[in-house]
Every structure is written in C-alpha cells, then in structure tokens.
Short mmCIF file of all heavy atoms in Angstrom, two decimals:
data_model
loop_
_atom_site.label_atom_id
_atom_site.label_comp_id
_atom_site.label_asym_id
_atom_site.label_seq_id
_atom_site.Cartn_x
_atom_site.Cartn_y
_atom_site.Cartn_z
N MET A 1 -10.38 -11.81 -4.28
CA MET A 1 -10.19 -12.09 -2.85
C MET A 1 -11.32 -11.31 -2.09
O MET A 1 -11.58 -10.19 -2.38
CB MET A 1 -8.87 -11.55 -2.41
CG MET A 1 -8.61 -11.70 -0.88
SD MET A 1 -6.99 -11.16 -0.37
CE MET A 1 -7.20 -9.31 -0.52
N SER A 2 -11.92 -12.05 -1.20
CA SER A 2 -13.05 -11.37 -0.44
C SER A 2 -12.51 -11.02 0.95
O SER A 2 -11.89 -11.87 1.60
CB SER A 2 -14.26 -12.35 -0.42
OG SER A 2 -15.23 -11.81 0.57
N VAL A 3 -12.71 -9.85 1.36
CA VAL A 3 -12.24 -9.41 2.69
C VAL A 3 -13.47 -8.90 3.43
O VAL A 3 -14.25 -8.09 2.93
CB VAL A 3 -11.28 -8.27 2.58
CG1 VAL A 3 -10.76 -7.81 4.00
CG2 VAL A 3 -10.06 -8.75 1.77
N GLN A 4 -13.78 -9.41 4.60
CA GLN A 4 -14.87 -8.97 5.45
C GLN A 4 -14.43 -8.25 6.67
O GLN A 4 -13.40 -8.67 7.24
CB GLN A 4 -15.72 -10.17 5.79
CG GLN A 4 -16.35 -10.88 4.57
CD GLN A 4 -17.39 -11.91 4.91
OE1 GLN A 4 -17.21 -12.44 6.02
NE2 GLN A 4 -18.31 -12.21 4.03
N HIS A 5 -15.13 -7.24 7.04
CA HIS A 5 -14.78 -6.48 8.24
C HIS A 5 -15.27 -7.21 9.46
O HIS A 5 -16.52 -7.45 9.54
CB HIS A 5 -15.30 -5.08 8.07
CG HIS A 5 -15.01 -4.23 9.28
ND1 HIS A 5 -15.77 -3.11 9.63
CD2 HIS A 5 -14.05 -4.33 10.25
CE1 HIS A 5 -15.21 -2.56 10.76
NE2 HIS A 5 -14.20 -3.30 11.09
N ASP A 6 -14.40 -7.45 10.31
CA ASP A 6 -14.86 -8.10 11.60
C ASP A 6 -15.23 -7.00 12.52
O ASP A 6 -14.44 -6.18 12.98
CB ASP A 6 -13.66 -8.87 12.17
CG ASP A 6 -14.03 -9.53 13.55
OD1 ASP A 6 -15.07 -9.25 14.12
OD2 ASP A 6 -13.18 -10.37 14.05
N ASP A 7 -16.56 -6.81 12.86
CA ASP A 7 -17.00 -5.74 13.76
C ASP A 7 -16.39 -5.77 15.13
O ASP A 7 -16.58 -4.82 15.84
CB ASP A 7 -18.55 -5.81 13.84
CG ASP A 7 -19.16 -5.37 12.54
OD1 ASP A 7 -18.61 -4.57 11.73
OD2 ASP A 7 -20.31 -5.82 12.21
N SER A 8 -15.78 -6.82 15.46
CA SER A 8 -15.20 -6.94 16.83
C SER A 8 -13.86 -6.20 16.87
O SER A 8 -13.36 -5.85 17.93
CB SER A 8 -14.98 -8.38 17.30
OG SER A 8 -13.97 -9.04 16.48
N ILE A 9 -13.37 -5.85 15.76
CA ILE A 9 -12.05 -5.14 15.68
C ILE A 9 -12.31 -3.63 15.93
O ILE A 9 -13.17 -2.98 15.21
CB ILE A 9 -11.39 -5.19 14.25
CG1 ILE A 9 -11.17 -6.69 13.92
CG2 ILE A 9 -10.22 -4.35 14.15
CD1 ILE A 9 -10.63 -6.98 12.59
N PRO A 10 -11.73 -3.10 16.92
CA PRO A 10 -11.89 -1.61 17.24
C PRO A 10 -11.44 -0.79 16.01
O PRO A 10 -10.35 -1.03 15.45
CB PRO A 10 -11.14 -1.38 18.50
CG PRO A 10 -10.19 -2.46 18.56
CD PRO A 10 -10.70 -3.68 17.93
N THR A 11 -12.23 0.16 15.63
CA THR A 11 -11.80 1.04 14.43
C THR A 11 -11.65 2.49 14.75
O THR A 11 -11.59 3.29 13.94
CB THR A 11 -12.99 0.95 13.39
OG1 THR A 11 -14.17 1.32 13.92
CG2 THR A 11 -12.98 -0.43 12.75
N ARG A 12 -11.36 2.78 16.12
CA ARG A 12 -11.24 4.15 16.52
C ARG A 12 -9.73 4.59 16.02
O ARG A 12 -9.51 5.73 15.76
CB ARG A 12 -11.25 4.28 17.97
CG ARG A 12 -12.70 4.32 18.51
CD ARG A 12 -12.76 4.61 19.97
NE ARG A 12 -11.93 3.71 20.69
CZ ARG A 12 -11.37 3.85 21.83
NH1 ARG A 12 -11.46 5.06 22.36
NH2 ARG A 12 -10.66 2.94 22.44
N GLU A 13 -8.85 3.62 15.97
CA GLU A 13 -7.46 3.84 15.54
C GLU A 13 -7.42 3.79 13.99
O GLU A 13 -8.12 3.03 13.33
CB GLU A 13 -6.50 2.86 16.22
CG GLU A 13 -6.58 2.90 17.68
CD GLU A 13 -6.33 4.24 18.38
OE1 GLU A 13 -5.57 4.98 17.81
OE2 GLU A 13 -6.89 4.46 19.50
N LYS A 14 -6.36 4.45 13.51
CA LYS A 14 -6.08 4.33 12.04
C LYS A 14 -4.96 3.34 11.75
O LYS A 14 -4.08 3.14 12.59
CB LYS A 14 -5.51 5.66 11.47
CG LYS A 14 -6.65 6.59 10.93
CD LYS A 14 -5.99 7.74 10.24
CE LYS A 14 -6.94 8.69 9.61
NZ LYS A 14 -6.37 9.89 9.08
N VAL A 15 -5.07 2.64 10.70
CA VAL A 15 -3.92 1.83 10.27
C VAL A 15 -2.91 2.60 9.55
O VAL A 15 -3.29 3.56 8.83
CB VAL A 15 -4.44 0.65 9.33
CG1 VAL A 15 -3.29 -0.21 8.75
CG2 VAL A 15 -5.51 -0.17 10.05
N LEU A 16 -1.66 2.34 9.82
CA LEU A 16 -0.56 2.99 9.05
C LEU A 16 0.08 2.03 8.14
O LEU A 16 0.62 1.08 8.51
CB LEU A 16 0.41 3.67 10.01
CG LEU A 16 1.71 4.26 9.28
CD1 LEU A 16 1.20 5.53 8.44
CD2 LEU A 16 2.69 4.80 10.38
N VAL A 17 -0.12 2.32 6.81
CA VAL A 17 0.51 1.46 5.80
C VAL A 17 1.84 2.12 5.40
O VAL A 17 1.74 3.34 4.90
CB VAL A 17 -0.38 1.30 4.63
CG1 VAL A 17 0.28 0.34 3.56
CG2 VAL A 17 -1.73 0.70 4.99
N ILE A 18 2.90 1.59 5.52
CA ILE A 18 4.22 2.12 5.20
C ILE A 18 4.71 1.54 3.88
O ILE A 18 5.00 0.33 3.85
CB ILE A 18 5.28 1.92 6.34
CG1 ILE A 18 4.77 2.53 7.68
CG2 ILE A 18 6.59 2.44 6.01
CD1 ILE A 18 5.64 2.23 8.86
N GLY A 19 4.83 2.28 2.91
CA GLY A 19 5.27 1.89 1.57
C GLY A 19 4.15 1.92 0.61
O GLY A 19 3.07 1.21 0.86
N ALA A 20 4.24 2.71 -0.51
CA ALA A 20 3.11 2.74 -1.47
C ALA A 20 3.60 2.00 -2.73
O ALA A 20 3.22 2.41 -3.85
CB ALA A 20 2.82 4.24 -1.75
N GLY A 21 4.27 0.89 -2.49
CA GLY A 21 4.51 -0.01 -3.66
C GLY A 21 3.32 -0.91 -3.90
O GLY A 21 2.28 -0.66 -3.24
N PRO A 22 3.42 -1.88 -4.71
CA PRO A 22 2.26 -2.74 -4.96
C PRO A 22 1.71 -3.39 -3.67
O PRO A 22 0.47 -3.47 -3.57
CB PRO A 22 2.82 -3.90 -5.85
CG PRO A 22 4.08 -3.20 -6.59
CD PRO A 22 4.52 -2.17 -5.61
N ALA A 23 2.55 -3.80 -2.76
CA ALA A 23 2.01 -4.40 -1.50
C ALA A 23 1.29 -3.40 -0.76
O ALA A 23 0.22 -3.68 -0.26
CB ALA A 23 3.14 -5.00 -0.65
N GLY A 24 1.77 -2.17 -0.55
CA GLY A 24 1.13 -1.09 0.26
C GLY A 24 -0.18 -0.71 -0.43
O GLY A 24 -1.22 -0.48 0.29
N LEU A 25 -0.12 -0.61 -1.79
CA LEU A 25 -1.42 -0.07 -2.39
C LEU A 25 -2.48 -1.23 -2.31
O LEU A 25 -3.68 -0.95 -2.15
CB LEU A 25 -1.06 0.11 -3.96
CG LEU A 25 -0.21 1.34 -4.12
CD1 LEU A 25 0.26 1.44 -5.59
CD2 LEU A 25 -0.83 2.62 -3.73
N ALA A 26 -2.00 -2.55 -2.39
CA ALA A 26 -3.05 -3.62 -2.28
C ALA A 26 -3.58 -3.61 -0.82
O ALA A 26 -4.81 -3.82 -0.60
CB ALA A 26 -2.36 -4.95 -2.62
N ALA A 27 -2.74 -3.26 0.16
CA ALA A 27 -3.20 -3.31 1.52
C ALA A 27 -4.17 -2.15 1.74
O ALA A 27 -5.16 -2.33 2.36
CB ALA A 27 -1.96 -3.12 2.49
N ALA A 28 -3.84 -1.03 1.17
CA ALA A 28 -4.80 0.17 1.23
C ALA A 28 -6.10 -0.16 0.63
O ALA A 28 -7.17 0.25 1.07
CB ALA A 28 -4.10 1.38 0.62
N ALA A 29 -6.13 -0.82 -0.59
CA ALA A 29 -7.29 -1.15 -1.23
C ALA A 29 -8.13 -2.08 -0.42
O ALA A 29 -9.39 -1.93 -0.33
CB ALA A 29 -6.96 -1.74 -2.59
N ALA A 30 -7.47 -3.03 0.27
CA ALA A 30 -8.15 -3.98 1.08
C ALA A 30 -8.79 -3.35 2.32
O ALA A 30 -9.95 -3.56 2.67
CB ALA A 30 -7.29 -5.07 1.54
N LEU A 31 -8.07 -2.34 2.83
CA LEU A 31 -8.59 -1.63 4.00
C LEU A 31 -9.76 -0.80 3.71
O LEU A 31 -10.75 -0.76 4.35
CB LEU A 31 -7.44 -0.70 4.67
CG LEU A 31 -6.33 -1.54 5.35
CD1 LEU A 31 -5.07 -0.64 5.58
CD2 LEU A 31 -6.82 -2.10 6.70
N ARG A 32 -9.62 0.00 2.55
CA ARG A 32 -10.67 0.78 2.09
C ARG A 32 -11.99 -0.07 1.76
O ARG A 32 -13.06 0.31 2.05
CB ARG A 32 -10.33 1.49 0.78
CG ARG A 32 -11.50 2.27 0.17
CD ARG A 32 -11.14 3.20 -0.93
NE ARG A 32 -10.45 4.37 -0.33
CZ ARG A 32 -9.93 5.51 -1.06
NH1 ARG A 32 -10.05 5.41 -2.36
NH2 ARG A 32 -9.40 6.41 -0.45
N ALA A 33 -11.79 -1.26 1.22
CA ALA A 33 -12.90 -2.25 0.85
C ALA A 33 -13.67 -2.58 2.11
O ALA A 33 -14.90 -2.78 2.00
CB ALA A 33 -12.41 -3.48 0.17
N VAL A 34 -13.05 -2.71 3.30
CA VAL A 34 -13.78 -2.99 4.42
C VAL A 34 -14.11 -1.81 5.35
O VAL A 34 -14.45 -1.98 6.50
CB VAL A 34 -13.05 -4.09 5.25
CG1 VAL A 34 -12.92 -5.39 4.48
CG2 VAL A 34 -11.67 -3.64 5.72
N GLY A 35 -13.75 -0.63 4.88
CA GLY A 35 -14.06 0.60 5.61
C GLY A 35 -13.12 0.92 6.72
O GLY A 35 -13.62 1.64 7.67
N LEU A 36 -12.00 0.35 6.81
CA LEU A 36 -11.03 0.68 7.94
C LEU A 36 -10.30 1.90 7.54
O LEU A 36 -9.68 1.93 6.45
CB LEU A 36 -10.17 -0.48 8.26
CG LEU A 36 -10.88 -1.70 8.93
CD1 LEU A 36 -9.80 -2.83 9.02
CD2 LEU A 36 -11.48 -1.33 10.18
N PRO A 37 -10.12 2.91 8.48
CA PRO A 37 -9.37 4.08 8.15
C PRO A 37 -7.84 3.88 8.14
O PRO A 37 -7.42 2.99 8.85
CB PRO A 37 -9.74 5.03 9.29
CG PRO A 37 -10.13 4.07 10.46
CD PRO A 37 -10.74 2.91 9.82
N PHE A 38 -7.19 4.45 7.20
CA PHE A 38 -5.75 4.19 7.13
C PHE A 38 -5.02 5.42 6.60
O PHE A 38 -5.72 6.35 5.94
CB PHE A 38 -5.44 3.05 6.18
CG PHE A 38 -5.91 3.32 4.80
CD1 PHE A 38 -4.92 3.82 3.89
CD2 PHE A 38 -7.13 2.95 4.34
CE1 PHE A 38 -5.32 4.06 2.57
CE2 PHE A 38 -7.56 3.18 3.07
CZ PHE A 38 -6.64 3.69 2.14
N ASP A 39 -3.79 5.57 6.89
CA ASP A 39 -2.94 6.48 6.20
C ASP A 39 -1.84 5.72 5.41
O ASP A 39 -1.41 4.57 5.91
CB ASP A 39 -2.15 7.39 7.21
CG ASP A 39 -3.10 8.45 7.78
OD1 ASP A 39 -3.97 9.01 6.99
OD2 ASP A 39 -2.89 8.85 8.94
N LEU A 40 -1.50 6.15 4.23
CA LEU A 40 -0.48 5.51 3.42
C LEU A 40 0.63 6.43 3.25
O LEU A 40 0.40 7.58 2.65
CB LEU A 40 -1.20 5.07 2.06
CG LEU A 40 -0.31 4.52 1.04
CD1 LEU A 40 0.32 3.15 1.52
CD2 LEU A 40 -1.09 4.29 -0.25
N VAL A 41 1.81 6.04 3.68
CA VAL A 41 3.02 6.95 3.50
C VAL A 41 4.09 6.33 2.79
O VAL A 41 4.15 5.02 2.65
CB VAL A 41 3.46 7.30 4.92
CG1 VAL A 41 2.45 8.08 5.73
CG2 VAL A 41 3.99 6.14 5.75
N ASP A 42 4.92 7.06 2.22
CA ASP A 42 6.05 6.52 1.49
C ASP A 42 7.20 7.44 1.53
O ASP A 42 7.02 8.66 1.49
CB ASP A 42 5.70 6.19 -0.09
CG ASP A 42 6.75 5.26 -0.64
OD1 ASP A 42 7.96 5.60 -0.82
OD2 ASP A 42 6.28 4.22 -1.08
N GLY A 43 8.40 6.91 1.76
CA GLY A 43 9.65 7.85 1.79
C GLY A 43 9.89 8.48 0.51
O GLY A 43 10.63 9.53 0.51
N ALA A 44 9.43 7.85 -0.57
CA ALA A 44 9.76 8.42 -1.93
C ALA A 44 8.71 9.46 -2.22
O ALA A 44 7.72 9.64 -1.63
CB ALA A 44 9.76 7.32 -2.93
N GLU A 45 9.02 10.18 -3.35
CA GLU A 45 8.13 11.28 -3.76
C GLU A 45 7.09 10.79 -4.68
O GLU A 45 6.26 11.61 -5.26
CB GLU A 45 8.88 12.42 -4.35
CG GLU A 45 9.76 13.24 -3.34
CD GLU A 45 10.48 14.35 -3.96
OE1 GLU A 45 10.23 14.61 -5.06
OE2 GLU A 45 11.27 15.01 -3.20
N HIS A 46 7.03 9.55 -4.95
CA HIS A 46 6.08 8.96 -5.87
C HIS A 46 5.48 7.57 -5.27
O HIS A 46 6.12 7.04 -4.49
CB HIS A 46 6.68 8.64 -7.27
CG HIS A 46 7.93 7.75 -7.03
ND1 HIS A 46 9.23 8.34 -6.82
CD2 HIS A 46 8.13 6.42 -6.95
CE1 HIS A 46 10.12 7.29 -6.61
NE2 HIS A 46 9.40 6.13 -6.68
N VAL A 47 4.35 7.31 -5.88
CA VAL A 47 3.81 5.95 -5.44
C VAL A 47 4.17 4.93 -6.53
O VAL A 47 4.67 5.25 -7.60
CB VAL A 47 2.29 6.06 -5.30
CG1 VAL A 47 1.83 7.07 -4.27
CG2 VAL A 47 1.61 6.30 -6.67
N GLY A 48 4.03 3.63 -6.21
CA GLY A 48 4.24 2.56 -7.11
C GLY A 48 5.53 1.79 -6.81
O GLY A 48 5.74 0.63 -7.36
N GLY A 49 6.35 2.27 -5.84
CA GLY A 49 7.53 1.46 -5.57
C GLY A 49 8.47 1.24 -6.72
O GLY A 49 8.57 2.04 -7.55
N VAL A 50 9.00 0.04 -6.76
CA VAL A 50 9.86 -0.42 -7.83
C VAL A 50 9.04 -0.28 -9.23
O VAL A 50 9.72 0.12 -10.20
CB VAL A 50 10.37 -1.87 -7.65
CG1 VAL A 50 11.16 -2.33 -8.86
CG2 VAL A 50 11.29 -1.88 -6.46
N TRP A 51 7.85 -0.54 -9.26
CA TRP A 51 7.08 -0.60 -10.53
C TRP A 51 6.97 0.89 -11.05
O TRP A 51 6.62 1.04 -12.28
CB TRP A 51 5.69 -1.16 -10.35
CG TRP A 51 5.65 -2.63 -10.14
CD1 TRP A 51 6.73 -3.42 -10.00
CD2 TRP A 51 4.56 -3.45 -10.19
NE1 TRP A 51 6.39 -4.73 -9.88
CE2 TRP A 51 4.99 -4.80 -9.97
CE3 TRP A 51 3.14 -3.21 -10.23
CZ2 TRP A 51 4.11 -5.91 -9.97
CZ3 TRP A 51 2.32 -4.37 -10.25
CH2 TRP A 51 2.86 -5.56 -10.06
N SER A 52 7.25 1.95 -10.28
CA SER A 52 7.11 3.24 -10.86
C SER A 52 8.24 3.47 -11.88
O SER A 52 8.18 4.38 -12.65
CB SER A 52 7.18 4.29 -9.67
OG SER A 52 8.48 4.35 -9.24
N GLY A 53 9.32 2.70 -11.74
CA GLY A 53 10.45 2.90 -12.61
C GLY A 53 11.19 4.23 -12.28
O GLY A 53 12.02 4.59 -13.06
N ALA A 54 10.95 4.81 -11.18
CA ALA A 54 11.62 6.08 -10.85
C ALA A 54 12.36 6.00 -9.51
O ALA A 54 12.66 6.94 -8.89
CB ALA A 54 10.49 7.17 -10.79
N SER A 55 12.72 4.82 -9.20
CA SER A 55 13.45 4.53 -7.88
C SER A 55 14.87 5.05 -8.03
O SER A 55 15.52 5.26 -6.98
CB SER A 55 13.49 3.12 -7.59
OG SER A 55 14.24 2.29 -8.47
N GLY A 56 15.29 5.23 -9.14
CA GLY A 56 16.79 5.55 -9.42
C GLY A 56 17.71 4.44 -9.20
O GLY A 56 18.91 4.55 -9.54
N LYS A 57 17.04 3.22 -8.87
CA LYS A 57 17.94 1.96 -8.78
C LYS A 57 18.12 1.33 -10.18
O LYS A 57 18.84 0.50 -10.33
CB LYS A 57 17.27 1.05 -7.75
CG LYS A 57 17.22 1.59 -6.32
CD LYS A 57 16.54 0.68 -5.44
CE LYS A 57 16.38 1.36 -4.09
NZ LYS A 57 15.39 0.65 -3.17
N THR A 58 17.26 1.70 -11.11
CA THR A 58 17.33 1.05 -12.35
C THR A 58 16.80 2.03 -13.48
O THR A 58 16.00 2.89 -13.12
CB THR A 58 16.41 -0.23 -12.49
OG1 THR A 58 16.47 -0.73 -13.87
CG2 THR A 58 14.97 0.03 -12.05
N ASN A 59 17.27 2.00 -14.68
CA ASN A 59 16.84 2.80 -15.75
C ASN A 59 15.75 2.17 -16.45
O ASN A 59 15.24 2.75 -17.40
CB ASN A 59 18.01 3.16 -16.70
CG ASN A 59 18.98 4.11 -15.97
OD1 ASN A 59 18.62 4.91 -15.15
ND2 ASN A 59 20.35 3.90 -16.30
N GLU A 60 15.40 0.96 -16.11
CA GLU A 60 14.31 0.21 -16.79
C GLU A 60 13.00 0.39 -16.14
O GLU A 60 12.89 0.20 -14.91
CB GLU A 60 14.71 -1.26 -16.83
CG GLU A 60 15.94 -1.53 -17.71
CD GLU A 60 16.24 -3.04 -17.68
OE1 GLU A 60 15.33 -3.84 -17.31
OE2 GLU A 60 17.43 -3.35 -18.11
N VAL A 61 12.00 0.73 -16.92
CA VAL A 61 10.64 0.81 -16.44
C VAL A 61 10.08 -0.61 -16.35
O VAL A 61 10.15 -1.25 -17.35
CB VAL A 61 9.84 1.75 -17.19
CG1 VAL A 61 8.31 1.68 -16.69
CG2 VAL A 61 10.27 3.17 -17.27
N VAL A 62 9.65 -0.96 -15.27
CA VAL A 62 9.10 -2.36 -15.09
C VAL A 62 7.70 -2.31 -15.81
O VAL A 62 6.99 -1.46 -15.66
CB VAL A 62 8.90 -2.73 -13.59
CG1 VAL A 62 8.38 -4.15 -13.49
CG2 VAL A 62 10.35 -2.62 -12.92
N TRP A 63 7.49 -3.40 -16.47
CA TRP A 63 6.21 -3.48 -17.26
C TRP A 63 6.29 -2.64 -18.53
O TRP A 63 5.99 -1.54 -18.61
CB TRP A 63 4.96 -3.22 -16.55
CG TRP A 63 4.70 -4.18 -15.48
CD1 TRP A 63 4.90 -4.00 -14.10
CD2 TRP A 63 4.20 -5.55 -15.64
NE1 TRP A 63 4.58 -5.17 -13.44
CE2 TRP A 63 4.28 -6.03 -14.32
CE3 TRP A 63 3.91 -6.39 -16.68
CZ2 TRP A 63 3.84 -7.43 -14.11
CZ3 TRP A 63 3.55 -7.63 -16.42
CH2 TRP A 63 3.51 -8.17 -15.24
C1 LIG B 101 14.74 -4.41 -11.74
C2 LIG B 101 13.41 -5.09 -11.35
C3 LIG B 101 12.48 -5.60 -12.28
C4 LIG B 101 11.19 -6.12 -11.98
N1 LIG B 101 10.45 -6.51 -12.96
C5 LIG B 101 9.22 -7.08 -12.58
C6 LIG B 101 8.16 -7.42 -13.60
O1 LIG B 101 8.52 -7.32 -14.80
N2 LIG B 101 7.00 -7.95 -13.22
C7 LIG B 101 6.75 -8.26 -11.83
O2 LIG B 101 5.65 -8.78 -11.56
N3 LIG B 101 7.65 -7.81 -10.87
C8 LIG B 101 8.85 -7.38 -11.14
N4 LIG B 101 9.82 -6.98 -10.18
C9 LIG B 101 9.32 -7.24 -8.81
C10 LIG B 101 8.52 -6.16 -8.32
O3 LIG B 101 9.00 -4.94 -8.59
C11 LIG B 101 8.29 -6.41 -6.83
O4 LIG B 101 7.81 -7.73 -6.58
C12 LIG B 101 7.28 -5.39 -6.30
O5 LIG B 101 7.73 -4.07 -6.53
C13 LIG B 101 7.27 -5.51 -4.73
O6 LIG B 101 6.34 -4.62 -4.26
P1 LIG B 101 6.40 -4.16 -2.77
O7 LIG B 101 5.30 -3.17 -2.60
O8 LIG B 101 6.54 -5.20 -1.83
O9 LIG B 101 7.90 -3.35 -2.69
P2 LIG B 101 8.40 -1.98 -3.46
O10 LIG B 101 7.89 -2.01 -4.79
O11 LIG B 101 9.82 -2.04 -3.20
O12 LIG B 101 7.66 -0.78 -2.69
C14 LIG B 101 8.19 -0.53 -1.31
C15 LIG B 101 7.76 0.94 -1.13
O13 LIG B 101 7.98 1.19 0.21
C16 LIG B 101 8.75 2.37 0.39
N5 LIG B 101 9.47 2.31 1.61
C17 LIG B 101 10.39 1.30 1.94
N6 LIG B 101 10.89 1.49 3.19
C18 LIG B 101 10.23 2.64 3.65
C19 LIG B 101 10.29 3.34 4.91
N7 LIG B 101 11.05 2.85 5.92
N8 LIG B 101 9.56 4.41 5.02
C20 LIG B 101 8.68 4.82 4.05
N9 LIG B 101 8.56 4.19 2.80
C21 LIG B 101 9.37 3.03 2.66
C22 LIG B 101 9.55 2.44 -0.84
O14 LIG B 101 9.92 3.91 -1.15
C23 LIG B 101 8.69 1.88 -1.92
O15 LIG B 101 7.87 2.90 -2.59
C24 LIG B 101 10.97 -6.37 -10.57
C25 LIG B 101 11.86 -5.85 -9.62
C26 LIG B 101 13.05 -5.24 -9.96
C27 LIG B 101 14.05 -4.80 -8.93
#
C-alpha cells in the first residue's frame, strides 16, 4: 500500500491513535511513513490487542 502525504493537510496537530492492536499499529506505521506526528495509546499494559494473547479473554495465543 502506498500512502502519500498531502502537504495541504496541517501538521501542527498530532494524531491520536487509540488502541495498539493490529489496526492501531498499522495506522501508526502509515502515519510514520508519511511523517505525520502521532501518539499511540492503549488501555491495556501491552501492545498487540487480541493478537498478544494476553487479553485475559482467552487462554489461546493467536497465531
Ligand atoms: C479468540 C480469537 C482468535 C483469533 N484468531 C485469529 C487468527 O488466528 N488469525 C487472524 O488473522 N485473526 C484472528 N482473530 C481476529 C483478530 O484478533 C482481530 O481481527 C484483530 O485483533 C483486530 O485488530 P484490532 O486492532 O481491530 O482490534 P484488537 O486486536 O481488539 O485491538 C484493540 C486494542 O484497542 C485497545 N482499546 C480498545 N478500546 C480502548 C479504549 N477505549 N481506550 C484505549 N484502548 C482501547 C484494546 O486494549 C486493544 O489493545 C482472532 C480473534 C479472537 C477473539
């Protein structure tokens, strides 16, 4: 996937990505690729979301 930074987008503000699961991590990677500043936060103490296997919702590690 190719992402290009539109220079008409103001970049004084930071993007806030909520959730460090696969979707949030992919969003963060795309933002970094185009040089847009962001913070990535998660309510859990680990990144990876469900894929971390540490959600407490399942004893099975995904993948
Ligand atoms: C039991 C199970 C097995 C699975 N097995 C597979 C598999 O084998 N292969 C596969 O491809 N997919 C599998 N999936 C699906 C895969 O886990 C999901 O598609 C994927 O995790 C979705 O990613 P996500 O980032 O959208 O959400 P999540 O992985 O759910 O991540 C969301 C993150 O956001 C955080 N969050 C949520 N709300 C807030 C809030 N208000 N404030 C701060 N943080 C917040 C959570 O703590 C979490 O870290 C499985 C799912 C389950 C439940």
